[in-house]
Amino acid sequence: SKQKHQHQSKYWKFDKASPKYTNPQTLLLPSIPSELRIPPSRFNDIGAYFQKKYELSLATNSSMDYLVEYNPGLVVIPPKMKQNLPPNAAYLLSLRVTPANNCFTTQVYANLPKDVWNSVYYTATNHLGLALLDESYQMLPGYDVVVEIDVQLSLKRSTSTKAGDSVSPTFMDYRIFVLNNEIYLHVNADTVIVNRLMLRGKGFGDDDDADYLRTTDTCAKVASENKDLNWETPC
């Protein structure tokens, strides 16, 4: 009978049921210049740091001018995509790059003034970070980039919090996955957006094909060569 085939549920601790860690890595995108990173010396007074950045954003009418990367995604690069990449490229890494964060203790954020808290949590700056990794999960030098893609995908909208503060964009994260030997980008928006990615490294394949390539460089180099650009300008 149906009753005879019922089994008692068993629950396992995540650290017991999850796969074993084989080669854990902490990766930082070289594309993000040091001046846009939170200095480690400010970790112990991060609340004051956020307050200072908030006041600067008001004075310059811009977002908080620092970036953090987190929520990594990792996929094995399909064989057919490797022909246009360095031979040691094994994985594609994705990261969310934004000032928005919840990286410190709960009390830090609870002690922030409401306007500062809103500016830390709600931001129009949500870049996509991508990097090629080798078999040992190490970044390939020169093969990482930070791009502003939320504008191109029309993910931003005008909305507000209960306090009337402007909030944008509508999504929270980027994810990548492989399907039928193709890499896809998943964007968690009001309407889920999925785009197929094409990877091509400079010097591999037809570099004159404008449909596949456009000039890119690190945020630091773009900023140094174009003094009139705002730091939020895509690289």
Side-chain angles (χ1 to χ4, degrees):
S1 67
K2 181 178 179 181
Q3 186 175 4
K4 289 183 179 180
H5 289 87
Q6 289 181 342
H7 298 281
Q8 185 177 1
S9 298
K10 293 183 179 180
Y11 299 94
W12 298 84
K13 294 178 62 178
F14 72 91
D15 56 339
K16 298 295 185 182
S18 64
K20 292 182 179 180
Y21 298 114
T22 56
N23 188 18
Q25 301 288 333
T26 299
L27 300 171
L28 299 177
L29 291 169
S31 296
I32 302 177
S34 58
E35 58 267 26
L36 292 182
R37 292 192 176 278
I38 300 175
S41 61
R42 301 303 304 270
F43 289 171
N44 290 331
D45 69 335
I46 193 64
Y49 177 86
F50 288 149
Q51 178 74 48
K52 179 180 178 181
K53 290 298 182 181
Y54 171 71
E55 293 170 356
L56 179 62
S57 70
L58 290 181
T60 57
N61 193 29
S62 65
S63 298
M64 308 274 262
D65 66 340
Y66 62 88
L67 294 171
V68 293
E69 69 266 63
Y70 52 83
N71 290 4
L74 186 71
V75 297
V76 176
I77 300 173
K80 77 172 189 176
M81 301 184 73
K82 290 188 175 184
Q83 60 182 336
N84 297 318
L85 299 173
N88 55 339
Y91 302 97
L92 177 67
L93 170 74
S94 69
L95 292 158
R96 182 186 180 193
V97 182
T98 174
N101 72 90
N102 191 21
C103 303
F104 299 91
T105 65
T106 301
Q107 195 59 42
V108 165
Y109 300 95
N111 291 339
L112 292 175
K114 188 171 184 179
D115 289 345
V116 180
W117 186 94
N118 285 337
S119 294
V120 171
Y121 272 85
Y122 301 114
T123 174
T125 303
N126 278 273
H127 300 326
L128 168 66
L130 294 173
L132 297 181
L133 308 183
D134 63 18
E135 290 283 358
S136 300
Y137 306 109
Q138 297 300 310
M139 286 190 185
L140 273 58
Y143 289 95
D144 67 283
V145 67
V146 175
V147 294
E148 184 182 63
I149 198 171
D150 48 339
V151 174
Q152 290 85 341
L153 295 180
S154 300
L155 294 172
K156 294 187 176 183
R157 68 172 180 182
S158 296
T159 184
S160 61
T161 65
K162 293 181 180 179
D165 305 294
S166 178
V167 179
S168 179
T170 63
F171 72 98
M172 289 302 295
D173 219 348
Y174 299 105
R175 293 296 177 184
I176 52 177
F177 63 93
V178 174
L179 178 65
N180 296 330
N181 292 314
E182 301 279 2
I183 298 178
Y184 290 85
L185 172 69
H186 171 283
V187 182
N188 179 24
D190 284 345
T191 299
V192 172
I193 296 175
V194 177
N195 280 272
R196 183 164 58 94
L197 298 183
M198 302 187 72
L199 303 179
R200 180 167 297 205
K202 189 172 183 180
F204 297 87
D206 184 3
D207 288 348
D208 295 325
D209 191 341
D211 291 335
Y212 290 92
L213 284 177
R214 69 186 184 97
T215 300
T216 61
D217 217 320
T218 64
C219 292
K221 187 171 183 181
V222 171
S224 66
E225 294 178 352
N226 300 275
K227 299 297 184 183
D228 295 331
L229 291 180
N230 184 283
W231 74 274
E232 293 176 293
T233 300
C235 301

